Amino acid sequence: MSDKNMNNNSSSIPIGRMLRSDTTGFTFGCNLPEPDVPLFGDFVKAPAQQGKIDIIGVIYNIFIEDDLLVKQLITVPQLPETYIQDQRNNRQVPIEVSVLSIGYVYNDTIIYSLPPQPPVTLDYINTCAKNDIVQFTKSTDYLTLILNSNEPSIDELIITTLRRAAEARSIEEQGLFLFECGKKLARLLSHDPYKLDSILRRLKVNYEQNI
Amino acid sequence: MGLELNKVTSDVKAMSTTLASKHIEIQDKHKTAKNTLEQFVNDDLLQQKITKAISLNWTGAIPTKEPINSSFECPAQPQIANIIATDGSQIYPDRHGKAMYFLINTGSIVFSHGSNEAPYCSSQPHLFYQDHDIYPNGSLISNAIINAKRDIIELQELSKLATREDQNNPTVLMLDNGLLLYLGLQTRENSQSAEMLQEYLDTLIKIESTGACIAGVISRPRAANVLRLLKLHDIKDTSFNEDEIRSLYPYNQLTDRMLFNFLRPGERSAIFVNASPQNLKSYMPAGQKIMFFYVNTGTINEPVILRVEVPEWVTQQPDKLSIIHSSIVEQSSFGNGYPYVLMRSHELAVVTWEEKQYLDQMISNSMHKNQIYTEISKKAFGKTLTNSAKRRHRR
């Protein structure tokens, strides 16, 4: 369950800081989301064991809380932008982003299992660069960890995660990559043909739309 | 269970009956007061009565050139304005705690009206732990003096923020209390009170020099200065004594807020001078005489009457008075009748119970590093064991 040479590409972006964690996943906080980060299904990485490992995870939930003041303001007609910006930038922070741990990198080796230790509070969380995603998803072993998690929307998460992983590759490689992932899913979901069918159909539609 | 609700059921019933009958009594008094307001005549006799009343430490309202029963529509709000609010909260010294200290925390918001940008928010804690802070006159500092210190720090923070703002745009500063510094009974702490009052006045003068304008906004005010003026108006001549004008009868139990509930949404009342001795003896000589008016920031069906206190120099500049009036009304339209910036500055200033626990822990850890080992009192320890379920009531 390992692969060599996870690339520490410098184009990964810090997107938040750790709020809380356990072995199976973590939640980080960030300011108002940018249009492109963080997104559902994104690959992210977090340091753990004092930098000895990088945990790889996928975002499965982004949570924005309300409160009484927001509830009052939504009833105001024509709310000026300054009030909206105050709520978004100053009050509703941090926005909470939940991540499922699907592996880690130790000494440039990718290990597809839960990390020995979770990340600690206030550590920076980075997006994975395209090269990181390609390296990590060369093996499909991480799909087992996603399927075994108890989080809702697992079907959606698999579809989006595979789409992200496909998009990190060249157009020519995408078809073969998704085909291999489909074969793996067929083995993992052999007991649930309806679920498998649903996932594969939607993956196919996504792929055809993309090309 | 600490409070057995079943044991107060009959008292609650009796209380509501009492309140209902009191309500009718108050409505009658309100009618009388409204009639007096409508028929009010500001003549030489009234001026003589006011002069005498002031000499007897009267705390009424002195009319200005604006008729006291007049009302003024809300002016248009400028397209661009800086609206800055500061609020403060405090942790009082706790003799049951591990160390004697008090803390004042200010929260501030700089709201650029019309900019479409997020406001600038900040909070600033001030920790006091030296002997001269805690025992200024050899005995433990009073809560009233800590509150006054908080008010001074709030005003200084506003002054600092006003200095930083672009003076090409109008700047409105807001506090969520009056502008007359309350210093408690001023007995043993007299010299300290005088120093604090001077510090407060100096800050008001500094604010005036920045070109900004300032307003103290009081929600649900209990003041009855204008009712005291009506009472004085009712008195036939100047042969009254101190006791006569101290009593508010027949307007007792009423407040100015009730009197001005005829204001339409956005309207303000006439401006008055606060006749309090502190204002006339300390603020006025410093050029910072405090005036006030009432404003309706609510709706036709649900009026919200706020009291607004401003220095005299604000009332002498129509553009400044106008922007204070419009800013309070505009901000209140997004705060359910209370200025949004004041709600936010309070939110930024407040120290929660959990935060106080963290601070106590920090202080304790720091003391340990210096080989100082103290404990909370046995009483405080007992409360930590028994109070956990009641904490939410104490916040």
Side-chain angles (χ1 to χ4, degrees):
Chain A
M1 296 251 290
S2 70
D3 199 349
K4 283 276 181 188
N5 298 323
M6 177 84 176
N7 192 338
N8 266 338
N9 194 302
S10 59
S11 64
S12 66
I13 313 162
I15 49 171
R17 284 185 184 272
M18 260 292 305
L19 279 173
R20 55 184 174 272
S21 61
D22 63 23
T23 309
T24 61
F26 50 92
T27 298
F28 68 89
C30 64
N31 288 323
L32 186 68
E34 296 294 321
D36 297 327
V37 282
L39 298 178
F40 175 78
D42 269 356
F43 286 81
V44 296
K45 58 183 175 182
Q49 292 185 282
Q50 298 185 5
K52 275 171 71 178
I53 65 169
D54 269 334
I55 299 171
I56 308 297
V58 284
I59 294 172
Y60 69 88
N61 200 9
I62 300 173
F63 189 70
I64 298 170
E65 273 192 280
D66 69 348
D67 67 5
L68 292 176
L69 183 52
V70 175
K71 283 177 180 167
Q72 182 191 300
L73 288 172
I74 57 171
T75 63
V76 175
Q78 295 172 331
L79 187 65
E81 188 63 23
T82 314
Y83 294 87
I84 297 169
Q85 291 305 321
D86 184 36
Q87 294 298 317
R88 288 183 180 166
N89 289 285
N90 295 327
R91 288 193 78 248
Q92 292 183 323
V93 288
I95 286 164
E96 294 193 7
V97 183
S98 299
V99 177
L100 193 66
S101 296
I102 54 171
Y104 61 98
V105 183
Y106 173 64
N107 278 346
D108 289 338
T109 303
I110 298 171
I111 299 161
Y112 296 98
S113 68
L114 292 177
Q117 259 181 24
V120 294
T121 311
L122 294 180
D123 264 339
Y124 264 123
I125 310 300
N126 288 269
T127 56
C128 287
K130 280 189 174 180
N131 282 345
D132 292 339
I133 298 171
V134 171
Q135 292 297 326
F136 187 82
T137 55
K138 271 185 178 168
S139 162
T140 51
D141 288 344
Y142 65 93
L143 290 172
T144 314
L145 279 170
I146 298 180
L147 280 170
N148 286 344
S149 77
N150 291 323
E151 298 305 333
S153 315
I154 283 301
D155 297 6
E156 286 297 325
L157 184 61
I158 286 179
I159 293 162
T160 313
T161 302
L162 291 180
R163 196 174 72 222
R164 298 260 187 277
E167 284 166 359
R169 293 167 161 80
S170 64
I171 295 280
E172 298 77 42
E173 291 173 308
Q174 286 183 13
L176 183 60
F177 168 75
L178 288 173
F179 179 70
E180 291 299 327
C181 291
K183 285 203 301 188
K184 174 79 173 185
L185 285 172
R187 283 198 296 278
L188 293 173
L189 290 172
S190 57
H191 61 286
D192 194 348
Y194 294 108
K195 193 174 198 171
L196 176 65
D197 183 57
S198 162
I199 292 175
L200 293 180
R201 275 174 190 279
R202 288 162 68 191
L203 268 178
K204 186 172 175 243
V205 171
N206 274 335
Y207 173 65
E208 286 170 352
Q209 281 173 349
N210 214 19
I211 57 171
Chain B
M1 188 172 179
L3 175 60
E4 294 184 50
L5 292 169
N6 57 315
K7 292 183 180 171
V8 289
T9 312
S10 57
D11 283 340
V12 168
K13 268 187 192 167
M15 183 180 162
S16 60
T17 312
T18 306
L19 289 176
S21 61
K22 201 170 155 188
H23 183 68
I24 296 166
E25 189 191 333
I26 286 174
Q27 277 183 326
D28 290 342
K29 287 181 177 182
H30 184 235
K31 218 171 177 179
T32 314
K34 284 285 285 291
N35 285 339
T36 312
L37 184 72
E38 278 161 22
Q39 291 156 20
F40 189 89
V41 182
N42 187 358
D43 55 11
D44 288 346
L45 175 62
L46 181 74
Q47 290 304 320
Q48 287 165 25
K49 286 192 273 187
I50 289 173
T51 306
K52 180 172 180 190
I54 288 171
S55 70
L56 298 173
N57 290 333
W58 179 64
T59 53
I62 305 170
T64 58
K65 60 186 176 187
E66 293 177 349
I68 76 159
N69 50 13
S70 56
S71 54
F72 300 83
E73 272 185 18
C74 181
Q77 171 80 335
Q79 288 197 325
I80 293 173
N82 308 313
I83 301 169
I84 308 175
T86 297
D87 196 11
S89 64
Q90 67 290 315
I91 298 174
Y92 295 119
D94 179 7
R95 66 192 176 88
H96 296 287
K98 286 187 179 176
M100 285 297 265
Y101 72 90
F102 66 93
L103 178 121
I104 292 169
N105 193 45
T106 57
S108 302
I109 179 166
V110 180
F111 189 100
S112 301
H113 170 81
S115 73
N116 293 346
E117 287 170 11
Y120 165 78
C121 296
S122 63
S123 66
Q124 185 60 52
H126 304 260
L127 186 66
F128 298 88
Y129 54 89
Q130 302 276 16
D131 277 356
H132 60 83
D133 294 322
I134 308 288
Y135 307 102
N137 295 291
S139 56
L140 184 63
I141 188 167
S142 68
N143 288 357
I145 293 293
I146 293 175
N147 293 346
K149 272 183 182 289
R150 182 202 60 214
D151 290 350
I152 293 169
I153 290 172
E154 284 175 17
L155 196 70
Q156 287 172 336
E157 187 65 24
L158 275 180
S159 168
K160 200 166 76 184
L161 292 167
T163 314
R164 287 187 200 158
E165 285 308 305
D166 178 3
Q167 297 305 322
N168 292 322
N169 298 330
T171 299
V172 177
L173 312 179
M174 282 191 213
L175 286 169
D176 88 330
N177 48 40
L179 295 181
L180 288 175
L181 189 65
Y182 179 70
L183 288 157
L185 296 174
Q186 302 184 41
T187 48
R188 270 182 316 199
E189 291 153 332
N190 247 346
S191 63
Q192 194 190 8
S193 299
E195 277 172 30
M196 291 171 77
L197 182 57
Q198 195 53 53
E199 209 176 346
Y200 195 81
L201 289 170
D202 289 345
T203 313
L204 278 175
I205 292 165
K206 201 172 165 191
I207 286 172
E208 183 182 2
S209 72
T210 65
C213 50
I214 182 163
V217 179
I218 303 164
S219 171
R220 199 175 277 192
R222 296 284 310 157
N225 307 79
V226 180
L227 287 164
R228 288 191 183 283
L229 175 65
L230 298 187
K231 163 78 186 255
L232 196 66
H233 182 266
D234 290 346
I235 296 173
K236 281 183 185 163
D237 52 36
T238 56
S239 62
F240 53 84
N241 61 30
E242 200 174 344
D243 288 341
E244 249 178 293
I245 54 168
R246 187 171 291 162
S247 154
L248 198 53
Y249 184 83
Y251 307 120
N252 51 326
Q253 298 183 26
L254 293 183
T255 60
D256 288 355
R257 175 171 61 93
M258 297 175 186
L259 185 66
F260 286 103
N261 71 356
F262 64 86
L263 294 169
R264 285 178 298 180
E267 282 184 347
R268 74 161 172 86
S269 71
I271 293 170
F272 300 88
V273 177
N274 189 329
S276 94
Q278 187 194 25
N279 193 26
L280 301 182
K281 288 175 188 164
S282 305
Y283 281 63
M284 193 164 77
Q288 300 297 325
K289 188 166 71 181
I290 300 303
M291 324 276 278
F292 68 90
F293 59 85
Y294 292 90
V295 61
N296 182 2
T297 54
T299 58
I300 293 172
N301 296 329
E302 212 179 324
V304 178
I305 307 295
L306 302 179
R307 178 179 165 115
V308 179
E309 296 193 352
V310 290
E312 186 178 30
W313 49 265
V314 167
T315 66
Q316 289 166 340
Q317 300 172 72
D319 55 332
K320 283 191 163 45
L321 180 63
S322 168
I323 195 174
I324 279 185
H325 183 180
S326 62
S327 297
I328 289 171
V329 171
E330 199 266 350
Q331 282 277 316
S332 298
S333 64
F334 303 107
N336 204 16
Y338 189 65
Y340 177 86
V341 285
L342 288 177
M343 288 169 68
R344 290 284 287 114
S345 59
H346 170 78
E347 186 181 37
L348 293 161
V350 77
V351 179
T352 63
W353 187 86
E354 285 85 358
E355 286 164 344
K356 183 186 180 300
Q357 300 311 303
Y358 287 132
L359 175 64
D360 283 341
Q361 193 56 52
M362 269 176 74
I363 291 170
S364 178
N365 292 346
S366 180
M367 285 163 68
H368 284 183
K369 280 182 186 163
N370 288 290
Q371 311 296 317
I372 302 166
Y373 300 96
T374 59
E375 286 186 352
I376 56 174
S377 73
K378 296 300 177 197
K379 178 181 173 177
F381 179 71
K383 282 185 176 179
T384 64
L385 301 179
T386 58
N387 265 12
S388 56
K390 294 181 183 176
R391 276 174 194 165
R392 61 201 169 93
H393 301 294
R394 296 169 56 210
R395 282 157 69 180

